[in-house]
Amino acid sequence: MRIDLHTHTTASDGLLDAPALVGAAAARGVGLLAVSDHDSTASVDEAIAAGRRAGVEVWPAVELSCDVEAGEVHMLGYLLDHHLDWFEALLVRLRDGRVARAERMVEKLAAIGVPIDYARVETLAAGGAIGRPHVARVLVEAGWVKEPAEAFDRFIGRGGPAYVERVKVTPAEAVAIIRAAGGLAVFAHPGWARRDEWVAELVPAGLDGIEVYYPDHGHEMIMHYLALARQYGLLVTGGTDFHGGALATRVPVGSQYVPEEIVPPMRERAATRRPARVAPQMALSVE
C-alpha cells in the first residue's frame, strides 16, 4: 500500500479539488492519504467521502505556516477534529490574513512597475486559502516571470521587493493549536530548514513527529532524521507535498516511499488525544 501524508487541494494552493486528488491517489495505488491544506480543512470532508467511494482512507490534516527569526517553518497536524468551532474560527482568521497579505503584495508589485490583476489571484484561489503561489502563477500568466520559482526569487520571496509579512504563528503556538484540536503535531520537511535545534526546542512544547520521508530528502538526510526521531522519541511521517503542476516538490501523488510501519504508532498516539472545546491560550496571540 502506498501512503501519502502531505497533499494539497484547491482549498489552498493545490491544483486539484478533493475528488480529483483522491482519484489521482487511487489510480496510483495510494491506500492512505492525508489532505493537509494550508490553513484550511475545507476539502477534508469531501475527500473522506471520495475516499470511501474509491477505497482510499483519508486522514484529516492541516499545514500551518510558522514564523521564526530566520524565515519560516511549517507544522503539519494529523487526525485532528477539524469541526471544532474554535479551530475553524482560527483558520478563518489565518485565511483572512492571507487575503490582506496578497492584496498588499499586489499593491507593492504595482508600485515597482509590475502590475497584476488581484481579481485573477482570487480566481485562481477559487475560494480556497489565498497564498503566494497564486500570486506567483498570475505573475507567470502576465509574462513577468517564466515560472513560479522565479516569482519568488525576484519579487515575493522573503527579502523581495513585494514581500509582505503574514499573520504570525510561532512553531510552539502551532504545536499547541494542533494538540488542542486532538491532533498530532509534525515538523514538516525539516530538510528545508536544516536546523535540528528547532526540532529539539519543540519537543518540550509537545512536538509529536517529524516528516522524514520527503522528495527533497536524500538518503543521508532520511537516515539523519530517522536518527533524530529516535533520539527524541518522535513519530516518523512522510509524503510528497503534492500540489499538482509546477508547485512545491513537483512529483506525482503517492510517489514518495513511506513505510507502512509508521502508521500504527500514529494511530495509537492519536487515540490518546482528546480535543479541547476552547482555544488554547497560545492561539489567542494570533492577530
Side-chain angles (χ1 to χ4, degrees):
M1 179 182 70
R2 290 188 176 185
I3 297 166
D4 196 335
L5 300 182
H6 193 164
T7 65
H8 299 272
T9 73
T10 50
S12 62
D13 53 353
L15 299 184
L16 303 181
D17 61 18
L21 171 63
V22 171
R28 291 189 56 82
V30 174
L32 175 59
L33 182 76
V35 174
S36 53
D37 280 309
H38 297 282
D39 301 333
S40 176
T41 58
S43 282
V44 168
D45 287 336
E46 191 176 15
I48 290 172
R52 291 195 185 104
R53 295 190 296 269
V56 177
E57 181 181 359
V58 176
W59 282 1
V62 72
E63 185 170 12
L64 302 179
S65 299
C66 311
D67 281 84
V68 292
E69 185 176 347
E72 67 181 61
V73 299
H74 293 176
M75 201 67 58
L76 290 158
Y78 293 110
L79 294 166
L80 40 71
D81 184 349
H82 60 293
H83 292 131
L84 290 167
D85 289 342
W86 69 260
F87 183 67
E88 291 181 340
L90 175 61
L91 293 185
V92 168
R93 291 167 67 186
L94 294 177
R95 292 197 297 274
D96 287 347
R98 283 175 170 269
V99 171
R101 184 192 195 199
E103 289 175 338
R104 181 62 182 139
M105 282 187 178
V106 171
E107 290 173 359
K108 293 184 77 170
L109 285 166
I112 61 173
V114 185
I116 61 171
D117 184 2
Y118 179 73
R120 181 57 181 159
V121 176
E122 289 186 310
T123 298
L124 289 180
I130 291 176
R132 282 185 295 169
H134 299 117
V135 177
R137 287 165 59 191
V138 176
L139 284 165
V140 173
E141 289 182 354
W144 293 111
V145 295
K146 294 181 179 179
E147 59 180 5
E150 185 184 354
F152 280 81
D153 291 340
R154 290 180 56 192
F155 300 118
I156 60 175
R158 185 174 290 270
Y163 179 78
V164 176
E165 293 286 350
R166 67 167 170 272
V167 176
K168 292 185 180 294
V169 180
T170 69
E173 285 175 328
V175 169
I177 291 165
I178 290 165
R179 289 178 63 103
L184 304 174
V186 173
F187 196 113
H189 40 66
W192 284 15
R194 301 196 180 209
R195 298 284 293 272
D196 291 356
E197 64 270 25
W198 290 349
V199 175
E201 290 168 3
L202 286 170
V203 170
L207 182 70
D208 288 293
I210 52 178
E211 188 176 41
V212 171
Y213 298 96
Y214 188 77
D216 290 346
H217 293 178
H219 175 72
E220 290 185 4
M221 196 174 289
I222 287 173
M223 298 307 294
H224 172 76
Y225 288 121
L226 284 174
L228 195 66
R230 287 193 296 270
Q231 178 181 350
Y232 292 108
L234 297 171
L235 298 168
V236 170
T237 74
T240 59
D241 201 359
F242 177 78
H243 288 69
L247 296 173
T249 51
R250 310 183 189 188
V251 298
V253 62
S255 60
Q256 171 62 53
Y257 168 73
V258 180
E260 291 186 45
E261 56 263 29
I262 73 163
V263 177
M266 294 184 71
R267 293 190 196 277
E268 291 167 10
R269 189 172 300 188
T272 68
R273 295 283 157 82
R274 295 293 180 270
R277 295 300 158 187
V278 295
Q281 187 65 37
M282 295 183 79
L284 300 180
S285 69
V286 180
E287 295 293 349

